[in-house]
Amino acid sequence: MMNRCGLLTLQKEPVPLKSIEVELEVRDHVATVVSTLNYENKEDKPLEAVFVFPLPGDAAVCHFSAKIGQTQIVAEVKEKQKAREEYDDALSSGQQAFLLEESDQSPDIFSLSVGSLPPGESASIRLEYVTELSVQADDGLRFCLPAVLNPRYQPQGSEGAGVQVTSVPASLVPYSLSFSARVSSPRPISKVESNCSLDPLQYLNTDQTQATVKLAAGHKFDRDVELLIYYKDAHQPTAVVEAGQASAEPGSLMGDSVVMVSLYPEFPQSVMSSMASCGEFVFLMDRSGSMGCPITNSKQQETRISSARDTLLLLLKSLPMGCYFNIYSFGSGYEHIFPKSVEYSQQTMEEALKKVEQMEANLGGTEILQPLKHIYSQPCIPNQPRQLFVFTDGEVGNTKEVIDLVKKNSGSHRCFSFGIGEGASSALINGMAKEGGGHAQFITGTDRMQPKVMQSLRFALQPAVVDISVTWDLPKEVSVTVLSPPITALFQGQRSLIYAQLSGQCSEAAEGCVTVKYSLAGHPSENQLHFSLSPAEDTGLTVHRLGARTLIRSLEMDERENRGQQDGGVKEKVVQLSVQSGVSSSFTAFIAVNKDNSEMIQGPLVRRNIPTPLPNSMAKCERTTKESIFRGVVHDMAAAPEQPPRDPLLHLVSLQGASGCWLLDPALATALGKTNEEVEKSKPEKANSEVWATILALIWLHGFKMDAKDEWELLAMKAASWLRAQNAPCVTECVDAGNVLLGCSVKKEALGL
């Protein structure tokens, strides 16, 4: 179980890990990360150092080696139990050994054991992994180096003790982190942004397709390091063919060429402008104790739960009339606002908002499995496709079980997931969205949750793409084996990646073509990509390793689904593929034994747990909790800080009716920054008061809040369609008078009228 052994400061134990150096190489949308961990034993006894740390959930760990003095030992991938036995045998016979393994519960947590480090000895451990970069709402590619590991809550009665984690507040971490990145792409790099301070971007060539960047000196280890990389024309479909390994057997995955295809489907504008007006929207909100923590270190007053309440307000105001909805919240147990999903109306919206305003982070631990089971047990409503929105800070111990449950129910719904705050589990958030045919978002640093969630609502309102098929057109001497699971979801402008093994020989000039066909709102569509079959220069084996990782993850999931059935073959397949490709899996581990050290290491080993950073916001949050939030005990937060004044945008939004209109009343005047008298007096004589109020609200949004348009665009569209349905006279007069009153110059067309 992810529990917290005493803090380093309490233990007063020396830490043998001195520094971590991370080098990132980004090529287009794939990253290779090399971490070097430098150890030194300053004690008079031989040590075993154990470090539990996070990695991106979809990373393929592909190299692990240790250097002691002049001796370099490269680890091999072996079946996990064998590797553990070999490690124990080496230690008991006085040899040095190194073991790296993935946690059984969650693929984004690894444990590294450095065994038998003699007094005065130094060792440097090199760890290499490859990962894909996900595309954000604004087309930035996101790389995250997880630095902080939040304690994961283990549900009561769950199997397996899992990994022991020692964590300390980030300010007390005794080792340093240095980080540098090199970015190259066929397209120019327009900018690189980060949640941490960076030195300026240095371009390495005149066409700006290569650049380097590094963390500014004095970086505190108090947050995940997030880089957002922006290219010009990011939405070009691409295919990269990578040559196989000369030493590997032809016909094997590593011996053949592998292609990585990235597609960006573009849907016709006519379809995109017709947002669905139906659906069952189920919002599942984490209210465990850790949701009471600040979202960031910089904005202490904004907690994860307060941001989530604001987000639910925007979501409820943006839903289409005629849909159904419900809101669940969970901690150690779960609650729902309505016994089952209800039709969206003024009355049900108001009832839900009253409950949302009272939501606090007071439900204890993070048990997400039970509410999910309850939601899935509810019968679906005919002609109202179910859309599930899950908000969590992702401190869940049983990640694989949760993802398997989402996958099992993926035929009846789409799942959109949001990871809130530093250290949210990428394996959980990405896994739920991927298996649930939806979209994942991470909300960290200075991000506002609202624009990201509203983008996902737009995706949820897009018509579902069905009958997706991928066909390959290749020269007759080349055959294709697809390594990726079938594509189950396509969204406008979002990338889909496909990996495939290409067997057979062909001429240098040969071309291949991949076609994705699908049906959208009853219209058949297709996107095609032609590509050269000659391998790209100098990509190492990155594409092979990512292809192997994709296939390993699919097989692991099959193995969990079929557990208890008499097919032990899947596990053997995973072990074989993992050993052959050198990529880690849940059934294998990396093991290295130093057979060169002629002298036996004498004496019993002293174990030292290397602490991982806990984000400072979490550490501060913990100090205000009266009881531990990780034991699943419902706790009181310390006296709540005074409420900051309401955001003017959210104030105006809170006054909108379910149908899309606003009422003419003193509350609206206040939100617009006017007196009731001014608003009443400026109203054109023949205008209906609700029409006038709604036009004023729309002018205010367009005139003063264009920078937050992503947040209010859907509810403004709803207001405009309400206005059009009124066929009201004197709309033009109202727009002119409203502009005069509010000091704006917004055109009637801009309001969608």
Side-chain angles (χ1 to χ4, degrees):
M1 166 159 140
M2 299 289 168
N3 65 3
R4 303 180 39 245
C5 318
L7 300 184
L8 172 89
T9 44
L10 303 178
Q11 302 291 54
K12 296 281 189 277
E13 282 178 352
V15 171
L17 178 60
K18 295 297 164 210
S19 63
I20 302 178
E21 295 153 25
V22 178
E23 290 170 32
L24 165 70
E25 171 139 9
V26 174
R27 290 170 186 251
D28 210 9
H29 52 241
V30 169
T32 303
V33 184
V34 177
S35 296
T36 307
L37 295 90
N38 298 307
Y39 287 83
E40 187 183 356
N41 180 4
K42 290 193 164 172
E43 300 184 59
D44 55 4
K45 304 183 261 318
L47 294 182
E48 179 187 29
V50 180
F51 187 28
V52 175
F53 57 94
L55 285 181
D58 53 2
V61 177
C62 53
H63 174 89
F64 175 59
S65 60
K67 191 172 182 187
I68 302 112
Q70 293 310 301
T71 311
Q72 175 89 7
I73 329 161
V74 178
E76 292 175 78
V77 178
K78 296 192 175 176
E79 192 276 325
K80 195 180 261 187
Q81 200 48 43
K82 275 194 196 132
R84 286 172 177 169
E85 285 166 13
E86 199 174 313
Y87 176 78
D88 291 340
D89 290 348
L91 296 199
S92 55
S93 60
Q95 289 177 299
Q96 286 178 319
F98 306 87
L99 180 72
L100 177 73
E101 55 181 322
E102 183 183 300
S103 148
D104 292 334
Q105 278 83 29
S106 187
D108 59 349
I109 297 179
F110 280 75
S111 157
L112 166 61
S113 305
V114 174
S116 298
L117 195 57
E121 183 83 81
S122 296
S124 89
I125 310 287
R126 182 184 162 98
L127 168 71
E128 194 174 314
Y129 63 85
V130 287
T131 185
E132 300 155 359
L133 305 185
S134 58
V135 185
Q136 302 301 288
D138 60 358
D139 295 341
L141 289 173
R142 178 179 187 263
F143 168 76
C144 179
L145 176 72
V148 298
L149 180 54
N150 294 344
R152 300 280 167 89
Y153 178 86
Q154 201 70 22
Q156 286 142 353
S158 60
E159 304 165 27
V163 206
Q164 297 282 324
V165 177
T166 306
S167 44
V168 297
S171 52
L172 300 176
V173 169
Y175 43 90
S176 59
L177 170 74
S178 65
F179 174 86
S180 61
R182 182 188 171 100
V183 183
S184 57
S185 164
R187 298 180 286 281
I189 302 153
S190 46
K191 61 179 175 175
V192 175
E193 292 176 348
S194 177
N195 61 335
C196 304
S197 301
L198 298 176
D199 286 346
L201 189 68
Q202 304 279 330
Y203 287 107
L204 303 179
N205 56 4
T206 49
D207 56 6
Q208 302 195 340
T209 55
Q210 294 185 11
T212 59
V213 69
K214 58 175 194 267
L215 277 183
H219 169 73
K220 290 279 180 284
F221 218 153
D222 62 346
R223 65 191 79 169
D224 295 345
V225 179
E226 188 180 59
L227 281 193
L228 293 167
I229 300 160
Y230 296 85
Y231 299 130
K232 299 202 168 105
D233 304 324
H235 280 208
Q236 295 300 318
T238 56
V240 177
V241 176
E242 184 176 81
Q245 210 171 0
S247 59
E249 194 182 319
S252 69
L253 173 60
M254 299 309 282
D256 283 342
S257 292
V258 171
V259 62
M260 173 174 69
V261 178
S262 64
L263 299 166
Y264 289 90
E266 291 294 336
F267 301 156
Q269 191 48 49
S270 57
V271 177
M272 291 312 299
S273 54
S274 66
M275 288 285 186
S277 62
C278 61
E280 178 196 6
F281 296 87
V282 180
F283 304 110
L284 177 57
M285 181 61 67
D286 187 341
R287 283 172 56 196
S288 61
S290 47
M291 286 289 290
C293 300
I295 282 200
T296 70
N297 293 326
S298 53
K299 286 162 72 180
Q300 285 301 324
Q301 78 281 7
E302 183 167 34
T303 60
R304 298 170 182 181
I305 192 73
S306 65
S307 180
R309 282 195 299 261
D310 291 346
T311 304
L312 280 173
L313 166 72
L314 279 173
L315 281 167
L316 285 173
K317 295 292 183 174
S318 303
L319 290 179
M321 290 298 276
C323 76
Y324 285 73
F325 78 103
N326 202 353
I327 300 173
Y328 284 71
S329 52
F330 69 95
S332 303
Y334 65 91
E335 303 172 354
H336 36 76
I337 291 184
F338 304 106
K340 58 179 194 184
S341 293
V342 293
E343 192 169 342
Y344 176 73
S345 65
Q346 184 64 26
Q347 186 190 342
T348 54
M349 179 191 80
E350 282 178 8
E351 200 176 324
L353 280 172
K354 274 198 189 93
K355 298 269 175 64
V356 166
E357 279 166 20
Q358 293 158 8
M359 281 186 179
E360 293 296 342
N362 57 358
L363 295 186
T366 313
E367 292 217 23
I368 194 170
L369 206 57
Q370 293 315 314
L372 278 176
K373 283 179 177 169
H374 185 269
I375 290 166
Y376 291 141
S377 72
Q378 301 289 310
C380 288
I381 302 166
N383 305 320
Q384 302 283 353
R386 183 174 285 169
Q387 316 269 8
L388 175 62
F389 283 63
V390 180
F391 300 84
T392 177
D393 54 16
E395 293 164 17
V396 173
N398 53 346
T399 302
K400 289 178 182 173
E401 263 188 283
V402 173
I403 293 170
D404 290 351
L405 181 66
V406 172
K407 182 182 183 185
K408 204 169 120 189
N409 291 279
S410 59
S412 63
H413 81 303
R414 288 196 283 192
C415 179
F416 296 85
S417 54
F418 305 89
I420 303 168
E422 309 293 344
S425 162
S426 61
L428 178 76
I429 305 304
N430 288 329
M432 288 177 82
K434 190 173 176 188
E435 297 306 335
H439 183 66
Q441 305 260 25
F442 288 86
I443 296 134
T444 58
T446 54
D447 295 347
R448 275 171 70 83
M449 194 184 297
Q450 291 80 9
K452 292 193 168 188
V453 174
M454 298 316 287
Q455 186 209 22
S456 291
L457 180 59
R458 273 189 211 94
F459 284 159
L461 290 167
Q462 276 178 26
V465 175
V466 291
D467 304 331
I468 303 170
S469 68
V470 178
T471 49
W472 299 80
D473 183 10
L474 298 165
K476 61 178 181 299
E477 57 274 19
V478 179
S479 64
V480 65
T481 308
V482 179
L483 306 171
S484 308
I487 297 175
T488 54
L490 287 174
F491 294 109
Q492 164 72 15
Q494 279 298 302
R495 182 186 68 197
S496 291
L497 276 179
I498 306 169
Y499 294 94
Q501 178 179 344
L502 303 174
S503 309
Q505 294 296 317
C506 60
S507 67
E508 282 290 293
E511 269 213 341
C513 170
V514 62
T515 307
V516 179
K517 294 185 175 171
Y518 50 89
S519 174
L520 178 70
H523 302 286
S525 296
E526 65 175 59
N527 291 99
Q528 224 174 36
L529 175 65
H530 291 267
F531 59 94
S532 158
L533 288 173
S534 64
E537 299 282 305
D538 181 35
T539 51
L541 287 167
T542 308
V543 173
H544 279 73
R545 283 165 175 158
L546 286 169
R549 188 279 328 258
T550 302
L551 185 53
I552 285 169
R553 291 283 184 244
S554 299
L555 288 168
E556 285 173 341
M557 195 158 232
D558 291 348
E559 199 274 338
R560 293 201 299 275
E561 279 178 10
N562 301 320
R563 201 173 279 166
Q565 295 169 13
Q566 293 310 304
D567 175 26
V570 179
K571 182 176 173 178
E572 265 124 61
K573 238 190 219 166
V574 172
V575 172
Q576 192 186 350
L577 183 59
S578 176
V579 170
Q580 182 204 340
S581 62
V583 168
S584 64
S585 76
S586 59
F587 301 129
T588 51
F590 281 92
I591 171 78
V593 177
N594 183 6
K595 299 194 166 83
D596 290 5
N597 58 338
S598 45
E599 289 174 34
M600 295 250 305
I601 292 158
Q602 301 295 331
L605 290 182
V606 179
R607 181 176 164 130
R608 293 280 178 252
N609 290 325
I610 312 286
T612 38
L614 190 64
N616 281 345
S617 59
M618 288 283 287
K620 288 180 182 125
C621 167
E622 294 221 325
R623 290 200 293 273
T624 63
T625 6
K626 293 192 182 148
E627 289 183 80
S628 168
I629 52 186
F630 299 110
R631 271 188 244 128
V633 177
V634 179
H635 69 283
D636 307 317
M637 298 296 283
E642 279 187 32
Q643 287 300 307
R646 187 94 197 245
D647 173 307
L649 169 62
L650 294 174
H651 182 195
L652 182 75
V653 167
S654 69
L655 301 172
Q656 186 184 25
S659 62
C661 72
W662 274 265
L663 298 178
L664 190 62
D665 64 12
L668 175 70
T670 307
L672 298 171
K674 298 288 169 198
T675 65
N676 198 37
E677 194 187 9
E678 289 173 307
V679 173
E680 294 273 6
K681 209 166 69 184
S682 312
K683 179 174 88 72
E685 200 178 333
K686 291 187 181 139
N688 164 304
S689 59
E690 285 177 15
V691 168
W692 168 239
T694 304
I695 287 173
L696 283 179
L698 286 177
I699 291 172
W700 187 90
L701 289 170
H702 283 84
F704 300 105
K705 288 292 169 188
M706 278 308 277
D707 58 334
K709 188 178 180 191
D710 287 349
E711 300 181 31
W712 53 257
E713 188 173 28
L714 289 174
L715 55 89
M717 281 162 67
K718 188 157 86 163
S721 72
W722 178 85
L723 281 166
R724 289 194 299 272
Q726 304 309 303
N727 277 329
C730 61
V731 166
T732 311
E733 257 181 277
C734 285
V735 174
D736 293 344
N739 273 317
V740 171
L741 173 67
L742 298 174
C744 298
S745 51
V746 179
K747 300 242 179 335
K748 183 173 135 183
E749 296 70 40
L751 303 178
L753 301 175

